[in-house]
Structures are given as structure tokens and as C-alpha cells.
Amino acid sequence: MSGSSASPMMVQYLALKEQAGDCLLFYRMGDFFELFFDDARLAAQVLDIALTSRGEHMGLPIPMCGVPVHSAEGYLARLIKAGCRVAIAEQVETPEEARRRGGSKALVARDIVRFVTAGTLTEEALLEPRRANVLAAVCEVRGQCGIAACDISTGRMELEECALDRLGAALARLGASELVAPEGWDLAPPAAMPRPAREFGSDQGEARLKAVHGVATLDGFGMFSRAMLAAAGGLIAYLDHVGRGKLPLLLPPVARSGDAHLAMDEATRASLEILVTSQGSRKGSLVDAVDRCVTGAGARLLAEDLSAPLTDLTLIEARLELVQWLHDDPLLRADLRTVLRALPDLGRALGRVVAGRGSPRDLGQLRDGLTEARRIHDFLLPRTDLPELLRALLPSLAGHGALCDHFARALVPSPPTERGQGGYIAEGYDAALDELRRISGDARRAIAALETKYRDQTGIAALKIRHNGVLGYFIEVPAGRADALMAPDSGFTHRQTMAGAVRFNAVALHEEASRIAQAGGHALAAEEAHFEQLVAEAIAARHAIAATAQALARIDVAAGQAERAAEGGWTRPAISTGLALEIEQGRHPVVEAALAAKGERFVANDCRLASHDRLWLIGGPNMGGKSTFLRQNALIVLLAQAGGFVPAARARIGLVDRLFSRVGASDNLARGRSTFMVEMVETAAILAQASERSFVILDEVGRGTSTYDGLALAWAVVEAVHGVNRSRCLFATHYHELARLADSCEALSLHHVRAREWKGELVLLHEVAQGPADRSYGLAVAKLAGVPAPVVARAKAVLDKLEKGRAETGGLAAGLGDLPLFAATAAAASEPEVDALRARLAEVDVDALSPRDALELVYALKHLAE
């Protein structure tokens, strides 16, 4: 079949596929979504389903596969996880309407009703309960980047602005599932999907926000820059595109200030494994070790807290006060968590309802969640010792009495997830609906009575009245007993002959079936009308319901933090505006949990940094615990500024503005960077951005190159962090020669992780002690790791020779003590002098010189050379 003679169905499909672009097209055919051509090949591979063919196109069989409509969500989830985007093409008219429009052979009209993408999911089955699903848009306006981010499953929307060099850190914090950017923007992140640049205009963004929220000005929501508004315009335009004109729940935008949160770049987040491990798993991450929330919304808010710790002392103390209050009253905490555990996910239920994808079950969840919120409000309100944050949250838990009462009267106790079969409006809510149900019920009882009557009348005990979607109600008898019903005067009409049975109809049965169908149809229409009214009521109250959901999530986070603190013996940190960092008996929350699972004890360590002792140089053997010590102190800072207790006996933390971690660099082959290159890029970022208020952890700087280069770089980096950045810093190294820096850097002190050799075996104590490391224990670690004994023995012989040479020559660090300090070197450093003679010659176009020009040039060069 040629393209010009394609069937009407294929013509329709190809037109829709053109609209779908690079999305897979789910084409509705009856009870299946069908895929064709390359879409079918890809889907069959991803979903592991059969690939078949249907007819021909351009003389070739058409590849085809399909998934049942009733189970499509599961298949969609797998496709989205595999990185696919899907366009859903539904039938937009009934077959009867199609016949009235175009005759008996008219093709049912179809249209794309929605695009399903990673960042625009709302269905419960497609979302992870404990993880936010963020869609972000980014663009550049006058040298500044605007970012708009939204989780459409709950409606939360944030706008922010940052410098171009901070874009990576901002996007790393958001962890967006999907990112869009203007097409043609050279600096767009590689993962961003291009969208028409005209959609990213600040004027259009402002107009779209005003239209969405029905306001004449955005002043009531905050102050938004042109870059923020441009990004918002791109985000809303994309949502309008994927929703085919139907926007999801969007709450009023919140302007995020870059200074309000502890800044961490992408490398730091990956190094600290805040939300996922280096393998991409939540298990083993910081949030997994901390999360004791009993609701999905609470877990998502906790992840947001850990991704964006605060820098405002007042806000941090408010969170800590609430955690302390719940920590100190375990009975109250247990009662509160019991109620919270039974709550539905209010925010996501509301998101589905507003997006037009809600079900009766979602309305029931709104009713139940808001009712329980009121219970929590009434339970806490009489207390006189409420923390300030909790007192501020309480009003959001109430105020839904009328809506809850209405929904309680209107809905059955456990509404179904589908509304097509009805049965979700409660009895007694609508007298007319109750009457329709009574008529339908009477007819069903009449049909049951007819079955008994027909058995007696025919003498066929096996006679049954059955129902299916094709024939409706019918009488079925065994084939061997059907002759009597075939007689013209039997009162029965033959409908269908099966292998072992024959089916009939009867006038009385037809009448009762018609009564059921008519009453059932009217009842479904009545329930649908009530459903739309209830949905409209929920949408009208969406902002208040969303505030309730956010308040419940915050309470759950605080209760979970208190539970984790009580469980692990964690303590409340003291936060100040100073520059101290004093942690007694600090522990790594993830490592401690892993050891506890094996019945082992974590060795706690102290860390005390101050203005006069702000850089610790830490030596010691591999596997001794240096990296763990570095990370645990960074995580304690992060946990404290997120507003939670910390795994330590005592902690006093001066506010940190930026947190840097360069621990465990690895190859980035996708960007053509080696391990050493990655290390240097991350170190360069630290040296360029760290301030006196920053906290920096550096591990093994310089290890990826030659010994001399590595030592030189490590030496210079330590001096720069100490003398220029002046940051609080933990610097782990194997270069013993760096210990000489303690003589020239007044705020640098030497420390090491302790180890001992006992009867030829290395014993790692995992304790951090003052003073330089006495030796590296590298050969002992190699032996411990299982390196063959002959290799270790040979290494020992080589080491003895090297150490003898070092003793004779002064070793690697010979002469380093005579170096001037970094600050003096940096001040004297300048660009090499420009060779004026060479520069002038480089400008000359010899072929264009006239004799006179050449003579003048000779004089000019002679003058420059004098």
C-alpha cells in the first residue's frame, strides 16, 4: 500500500504522529493503546512485549505492539523510567457520534489529549511517594540565569535567579526530572529539552502568571526579576503544551533567594551522597539514614530541607525548637506520628483533582486528610507550651469544616479509584439518585425471580440468567435441553448458540433489563454531575488545602527528626553567627547505621576549628577513617543548618555560607575529563568561591599526577585556602612533607588518624589525634588488602632504598622551608612581560608593505629595541 492510498486510520495515525514529534504515540483502539512503526519497535524492546505487524505501508508490513488501557499506567512508568516521552491519543467521540457525522463507515475522531513526560506526572502509580518530581525551566536574561521549578503533583512553584557560573549548583540542588530551555541558547545544560525561544519572554511570563492566578499584579506574591519571569513563562508554556491547554495545579510562585540557603555545587552534593549514593540508589544515602517520616509528603520535604539547608539563624532555630519540643515528649510524639501515619497524600491527591485526573478516591482522600488535620489541630491547640513554628502552622490545619462535612455526606466511606461504574455517592445524599438505584435494584431482584420462574416453567434446573457486555442479559441453557425453548410458541427468542450452551431472550427479561439500563444510565449521569460539583469545590479551596498539606508535612519532618535523634542519641546543635566549628564525639550517620546493622561500634571523633586554628592537615593510612571524618563533619553542618539534631555529643556551629567537598573524585568520561582533571576543576571552583564563612573538606589533592607535581599543588592549595580564602577546612593528605606548613601557617594544625602494627598486622584505630602522622603504613594496608607477599616484600626493599636516598638528599621537601609565603608570592606574581618588538612584528602584513612603509618600520623597530 502506498502512502497516497493509506487507509483512513493510518492517515489519521500519521497526522497525530506528526503532532507527537519525538514522543511515542499511544493510539487508542478499543481497549488497547497501539503503537506502530519505530514507536512499536522501541516500546516492544523497553516493555519486553511481542512485536507484531498490521497491514502494509509503502509496500512493507507495519510493525505494531499494544498495551491494555486498564493497565497502561504500569507500562507508562517503565517507558518514562527508560527516558521516553509519550503522547496519548484518545477517541474524542463515540462510534454513534462518528456515524451521525460521516455515515456508517466513518472513522472515530481521535486527538492527542496529553503528553506524558518525566516532569509532568501526577498519577499515583507513576510517582515515587518519598521523592518530589520537579520540572524546571531555565533561560538567560541580561547575563543572569532565571530558573522556574515546579512539582506539579503538589503545585509548589519556585522562581530564582543566579549567575551563569552558579547555574550548575542550582540545578544540582533541584534535581529536576525534566528540564526545558530556549532553543538556540548556547549555554543551555546538555540535558535540557529545547523549546521555542519566544516562550521565554519576561513579559509573557508575567502575563501568564497573572492569568493563572487571576491577579492584576504579582506584587502580593513577591518581587520577581526579569530572568525569573522569563523562566516562568517558558515553564507555563511547556505545561500548557503537554496538557493540551489544561494546566495542572500551580500554587502562587515563591521567590527563592540564593543567599537564604547553604550553597553546594554539584560535585559537593555527589561527594556527600545527600539524596542518592554514587550508584544512584537512595539506600545508603544521607536522607535514607535520617528519614523517619511516616508520610510521603514529609519524606519529600525532608529531602528538600537536606538539599537546601538554611543560612538564616532565626529560621534554623525555629525548626530546632520544634524538633526539641517533640523530642522531649515521646508520648506526644508517638501519638502524633500514629495519626500522621494514617494520613493520605493530600498534596498529590489535590494535584490530580486540579489537573482533571482526579478520582472519587482522591476526593475521599481530601475529606479524610482534612478531617485528620482538624483532629491534630484540636489535639495541639490547648497546649500552652507550643513552639513558635508549630503555633504558626496550626491555623493551616483548620478551616475546612464545611468542605469536610459536605464531602462526608456526599461520598461513601471508601470511594473507588474509577468513576465509570458509579457507586461512590453516598446513599441519602440525593433522593432522586436513591430512587434510580432502587428501581435498578428492584429490576435486578425481578430478574432473579424470573430465573426461578423460567426454571419451573421449562423444567430445566440448569437454566441461568447471565450478563455480558455484548448481549446484556440473556437466558442460558445446556445445548441438550434447548429444543423446548426453540419452539415458536415457547415465549423465548434465540440469541446465540455456543459449543455447549444456547442463549435466549424473553420479553419480560428484556423489559427488566431495559429498566436496569435506563435507571443505571441516569444514576451514572447523576453521580457524574455530583462528582464535578465536588471537584469544583475542591479546586476553589486549593490554596487552603495545599497549605494544610504543607503544614502536615512540616510537622511530620520535625517529628521524624525528633524520632531519629531519640533513636540515635543525637543532640541539638548550637548555631551562632561566629566562625567556630566545635563538634564533640561526632559520627557519620550513614556509616554508623551500616556498622550498627552488623553489630559493630562507630568510633566517634572531635573536631574543633576556630579563627586561630581553622585548617586541620590530617595524615594517616588509607582505610584509617580520614575520608569518613571529613564527610561526617560536613554532614553534621548540613544537618544542623537543615534544622535537625546531629550525631554528636555536642555541636557548636558558626553559620556556613557555602559547603565544599572534594572527596573521592572519579573520571568524567562523558565530558572528556580524567580523574585528575576533575579534581583540579573542583579544586579551582573551591579556590575561586570559598569565603571566610565557608567550610571546605579536601581529600588527597594532587594524588592524580606525578609525585613532585602533586606535592607542589597540594602545598599551594593549602597555603591558598589558609591565607587567601581563610575558610574553615579539613585537608587530608598522604604527603608528610606538608607538615612543614605548620611552621609558616599560623592557623594550621597537624592531625592524624591513629594506627598501630601488632605482631606484623596493621590495626586501624579510626581515632583522630593531634600531631603529624609518623608513617604511611601503605605496605601494611597493601598486605591487609591481600596483595601477594612477594610483591609486598619487593615493595619493602624498594621503600628502604628510597628512604635511604631521602635521608641523604633531604627528600622531596628539600628546600621548601626557604619558600616565601603564598600571600607574598601571589602578590608578586604577574603576567610575563610583553615583548614589544615581537608584538609589533606580529602585527605586520609583510606582503602589503611598500618600500617606504618598510623603511619606516625599520626605524620603529630600532626605536623599540633601544
Side-chain angles (χ1 to χ4, degrees), residues 199-221:
E199 296 178 351
F200 290 81
S202 58
D203 291 340
Q204 294 94 317
E206 183 175 4
R208 285 180 182 275
L209 283 171
K210 289 177 181 177
V212 167
H213 299 291
V215 295
T217 175
L218 300 177
D219 292 349
F221 301 147

Side-chain angles (χ1 to χ4, degrees), residues 128-132 151 154 291 293-305 340 343-348 548-557:
E128 295 182 36
R130 307 183 82 80
R131 182 185 175 197
D151 182 349
T154 60
D291 185 7
C293 296
V294 294
T295 70
R300 296 194 298 271
L301 183 58
L302 173 64
E304 186 179 322
D305 288 351
L340 289 169
L343 284 176
D345 199 326
L346 262 182
R348 286 190 166 173
T548 301
Q550 290 167 5
L552 290 169
R554 175 54 64 196
I555 293 171
D556 185 30
V557 168

Side-chain angles (χ1 to χ4, degrees), residues 151-414:
D151 182 349
I152 70 165
S153 68
T154 60
R156 180 174 174 79
M157 185 177 190
E158 290 186 346
L159 306 181
E160 64 179 292
E161 179 182 285
C162 69
L164 282 166
D165 61 350
R166 301 291 176 89
L167 178 60
L171 294 179
R173 186 195 72 245
L174 290 171
S177 300
E178 188 175 6
L179 181 66
V180 296
E183 58 187 0
W185 182 30
D186 293 338
L187 299 177
M193 186 178 65
R195 296 289 303 161
R198 65 179 181 277
E199 296 178 351
F200 290 81
S202 58
D203 291 340
Q204 294 94 317
E206 183 175 4
R208 285 180 182 275
L209 283 171
K210 289 177 181 177
V212 167
H213 299 291
V215 295
T217 175
L218 300 177
D219 292 349
F221 301 147
M223 298 299 294
F224 306 107
S225 69
R226 286 286 140 195
M228 292 180 186
L229 294 173
L235 181 73
I236 298 174
Y238 180 65
L239 288 173
D240 188 61
H241 163 72
V242 297
R244 304 292 278 180
K246 174 73 174 177
L247 285 175
L249 170 63
L250 292 176
L251 298 176
V254 176
R256 176 188 282 271
S257 167
D259 297 334
H261 299 274
L262 174 64
M264 294 179 282
D265 59 24
E266 188 175 1
T268 298
R269 293 176 186 278
S271 169
L272 297 180
E273 300 182 313
I274 299 170
L275 300 185
V276 293
T277 65
S278 56
Q279 287 77 40
S281 169
R282 189 179 193 269
K283 185 71 176 175
S285 66
L286 175 65
V287 70
D288 180 62
V290 174
D291 185 7
R292 296 297 181 271
C293 296
V294 294
T295 70
R300 296 194 298 271
L301 183 58
L302 173 64
E304 186 179 322
D305 288 351
L306 297 179
S307 291
L310 302 170
T311 55
D312 186 306
L313 182 59
T314 303
L315 297 179
I316 296 171
E317 288 296 343
R319 289 184 185 177
L320 288 172
E321 183 188 15
L322 178 52
V323 175
Q324 179 83 60
W325 187 74
L326 291 166
H327 175 272
D328 294 345
D329 194 336
L331 293 179
L332 169 70
R333 185 173 74 247
D335 290 343
L336 192 57
R337 282 165 58 83
T338 298
V339 177
L340 289 169
R341 186 176 283 109
L343 284 176
D345 199 326
L346 262 182
R348 286 190 166 173
L350 177 65
R352 289 188 292 273
V353 169
V354 175
R357 301 168 200 155
S359 68
R361 180 172 177 265
D362 291 322
L363 294 179
Q365 289 186 335
L366 295 182
R367 172 199 63 196
D368 298 342
L370 294 174
T371 300
E372 290 304 303
R374 181 59 192 236
R375 278 187 58 202
I376 294 173
H377 171 275
D378 294 345
F379 173 65
L380 294 174
L381 187 62
R383 299 191 62 120
T384 57
D385 59 341
L386 292 178
E388 192 63 33
L389 178 56
L390 186 55
R391 192 172 296 281
L393 293 173
L394 276 187
S396 296
L397 301 181
H400 305 289
L403 184 144
C404 290
D405 290 345
H406 186 195
F407 279 31
R409 287 186 294 106
L411 297 168
V412 297
S414 298

Side-chain angles (χ1 to χ4, degrees), residues 393-733:
L393 293 173
L394 276 187
S396 296
L397 301 181
H400 305 289
L403 184 144
C404 290
D405 290 345
H406 186 195
F407 279 31
R409 287 186 294 106
L411 297 168
V412 297
S414 298
T417 55
E418 300 293 335
R419 66 180 194 263
Q421 300 301 314
Y424 50 85
I425 297 298
E427 187 176 350
Y429 179 70
D430 180 346
L433 175 59
D434 292 343
E435 178 61 19
L436 290 170
R437 288 173 172 170
R438 185 192 63 75
I439 293 170
S440 181
D442 288 348
R444 283 185 170 83
R445 285 187 288 274
I447 285 175
L450 279 175
E451 184 177 73
T452 303
K453 174 185 173 183
Y454 291 151
R455 283 176 183 169
D456 295 341
Q457 178 182 327
T458 61
I460 303 172
L463 180 148
K464 295 184 181 296
I465 295 180
R466 299 184 183 277
H467 180 273
N468 67 29
V470 177
L471 298 179
Y473 285 95
F474 54 85
I475 301 159
E476 184 175 280
V477 298
R481 304 294 304 275
D483 290 347
L485 279 68
M486 289 286 194
D489 57 350
S490 66
F492 297 94
T493 304
H494 176 256
R495 295 288 303 278
Q496 190 177 32
T497 299
M498 310 292 290
V502 182
R503 294 170 174 176
F504 298 88
N505 200 357
V507 174
L509 177 61
H510 177 72
E511 290 174 352
E512 296 300 340
S514 297
R515 289 175 60 200
I516 290 174
Q518 186 176 19
H522 290 319
L524 284 176
E527 289 204 62
E528 185 67 22
H530 289 310
F531 178 82
E532 295 299 334
Q533 291 172 357
L534 296 173
V535 164
E537 189 172 346
I539 291 175
R542 63 189 182 278
H543 292 159
I545 296 173
T548 301
Q550 290 167 5
L552 290 169
R554 175 54 64 196
I555 293 171
D556 185 30
V557 168
Q561 290 270 38
E563 186 73 17
R564 184 65 182 92
E567 172 190 307
W570 293 11
T571 189
R572 177 176 177 173
I575 313 293
S576 72
T577 56
L579 295 175
L581 180 64
E582 298 179 6
I583 298 168
E584 291 183 11
Q585 298 296 294
R587 288 113 57 199
H588 192 299
V590 179
V591 177
E592 182 180 33
L595 290 174
K598 297 188 291 185
E600 299 178 20
R601 185 181 66 87
F602 185 92
V603 179
N605 280 295
D606 297 348
C607 178
R608 291 185 174 84
L609 299 177
S611 298
H612 63 279
D613 186 16
R614 61 180 174 270
L615 195 156
W616 278 20
L617 199 62
I618 306 167
N622 286 314
M623 300 170 57
K626 298 191 300 297
S627 296
T628 298
F629 179 71
L630 266 59
R631 283 192 177 103
Q632 79 186 33
N633 287 293
L635 292 178
I636 286 172
V637 168
L638 188 155
L639 287 168
Q641 293 191 204
F645 281 26
V646 298
R650 187 178 76 88
R652 187 164 72 89
I653 297 169
L655 279 173
V656 173
D657 66 344
R658 294 181 69 88
L659 181 60
F660 293 97
S661 171
R662 206 229 62 77
V663 180
S666 59
D667 288 347
N668 190 333
L669 300 180
R671 295 189 183 179
R673 293 176 177 174
S674 66
T675 302
F676 183 66
M677 183 63 175
V678 171
E679 175 184 317
M680 288 298 100
V681 167
E682 294 173 2
T683 303
I686 293 170
L687 296 177
Q689 299 172 20
S691 71
E692 185 180 38
R693 191 161 285 285
S694 302
F695 181 44
V696 178
I697 60 173
L698 291 161
D699 188 18
E700 308 291 357
V701 170
R703 65 180 171 180
T705 185
S706 72
T707 304
Y708 282 97
D709 282 358
L711 173 59
L713 283 166
W715 187 289
V717 168
V718 170
E719 287 188 329
V721 172
H722 174 273
V724 178
N725 302 100
R726 304 182 66 82
S727 307
R728 289 162 284 183
C729 177
L730 300 177
F731 191 108
T733 184

